[in-house]
Amino acid sequence: MAKVREPVPANSVQAWRGWRGITQADLANRVGVTRQTIANIEKSTYSPSVHLALAICREFRTTVEEVFGKDQHERPE
Amino acid sequence: MSALNKFADYTLGLFSASADDEYHEQVLLKSQAVGMNTLGLTTIPVGAVLAWLLPGWATFCSFLVVLPPIVANGVTDAWVKQYAPRMSAINSPKYMTIPLIALVAWLAGIGYQFSSVGGPQYAVIIGGVVGAVVALATVPVSMRRNKHADQRRLDNELDAADLQ
């Protein structure tokens, strides 16, 4: 069986946070994690659970695809 | 639920309770892997020091230091194979250098102390070296076989669950 350890793909959490005017600390507080967690997600050194990814996307009022998937980096209206 | 699973759940519960969130918990758990590895690597040098310090027959008590890592590995293997295959051997000569040097020093210490009470020094050293070489040759093969056996067993369990 092939090894499936691949680097964590890039995401646009930092960009969305900027577009929505939310600080790392604010986002962390809203989704119930620490600021270190948000910082590591932004740096792609940590891949969040599905539940946390959904919570982050709810705060951005967007979809998982636009933050973590192939549709990311599209600036919201 | 087995005593092992109760112990594992309790231990994991302690980590979950002390972690602030999922990222913190993951890092804490990874730190335990680092710690476990460090424990394994420091055991052999400590055993070597004890072998030289403990006089005469007492030098064999230095083997007691391997008990905690052996028990810990046994518990780890028994727990992990319920959910995922056990790990393969670490195949890194660089990684094994320090433990091997310490192992030689350990055997030399036992041989030295054993000879001080009239025991056959070289028999101990030769026996130890032969044992170490046999272990180095067989343990990686055994670990690889165990991993594949676990994979097959877990796949079979999934197949059986699909049929129900």
Side-chain angles (χ1 to χ4, degrees):
Chain A
M1 188 171 68
K3 298 214 169 180
V4 289
R5 296 283 297 178
E6 291 175 1
V8 178
N11 61 71
S12 53
V13 170
Q14 188 171 17
W16 274 92
R17 206 168 42 71
W19 294 330
R20 295 293 187 217
I22 307 172
T23 65
Q24 275 187 344
D26 279 344
L27 180 60
N29 196 37
R30 289 185 198 181
V31 298
V33 297
T34 62
R35 194 178 160 189
Q36 289 82 37
T37 301
I38 300 297
N40 279 283
I41 291 170
E42 289 182 358
K43 285 188 286 183
S44 293
T45 51
Y46 176 64
S47 186
S49 67
V50 172
H51 304 289
L52 179 53
L54 288 170
I56 290 170
C57 294
R58 270 196 296 272
E59 290 301 322
F60 293 150
R61 301 188 301 282
T62 186
T63 64
V64 171
E65 280 296 328
E66 286 183 326
V67 181
F68 295 99
K70 58 180 168 45
D71 297 338
Q72 58 182 281
H73 304 306
E74 289 177 13
R75 192 184 169 95
E77 297 297 319
Chain B
M1 183 187 282
S2 69
L4 171 65
N5 283 347
K6 280 183 184 168
F7 174 70
D9 286 348
Y10 173 73
T11 307
L12 292 172
L14 291 178
F15 275 89
S16 291
S18 68
D20 294 332
D21 58 24
E22 59 179 50
Y23 167 74
H24 190 202
E25 185 174 347
Q26 189 190 82
V27 173
L28 286 179
L29 291 172
K30 282 182 177 176
S31 76
Q32 293 305 300
V34 176
M36 184 76 180
N37 206 19
T38 308
L39 176 70
L41 285 174
T42 51
T43 296
I44 299 175
V46 169
V49 169
L50 285 174
W52 282 93
L53 290 179
L54 295 172
W57 287 97
T59 190
F60 286 102
C61 289
S62 61
F63 285 122
L64 289 174
V65 297
V66 299
L67 274 180
I70 285 175
V71 171
N73 274 316
V75 170
T76 301
D77 282 353
W79 182 78
V80 78
K81 72 181 183 182
Q82 300 175 91
Y83 308 102
R86 282 167 280 181
M87 68 181 289
S88 296
I90 297 168
N91 186 16
S92 166
K94 195 171 146 190
Y95 174 86
M96 292 301 291
T97 304
I98 292 173
L100 282 176
I101 291 170
L103 185 63
V104 170
W106 192 344
L107 293 171
I110 288 175
Y112 173 77
Q113 293 292 353
F114 193 47
S115 66
S116 70
V117 290
Q121 178 182 15
Y122 291 107
V124 170
I125 294 177
I126 291 169
V129 168
V130 169
V133 169
V134 169
L136 281 172
T138 59
V139 167
V141 176
S142 168
M143 289 179 76
R144 199 162 46 245
R145 277 187 190 156
N146 287 339
K147 182 184 175 185
H148 291 150
D150 289 345
Q151 188 73 66
R152 279 194 301 273
R153 178 178 48 78
L154 291 164
D155 285 348
N156 288 339
E157 285 172 11
L158 289 173
D159 288 342
D162 279 347
L163 290 174
Q164 285 174 358

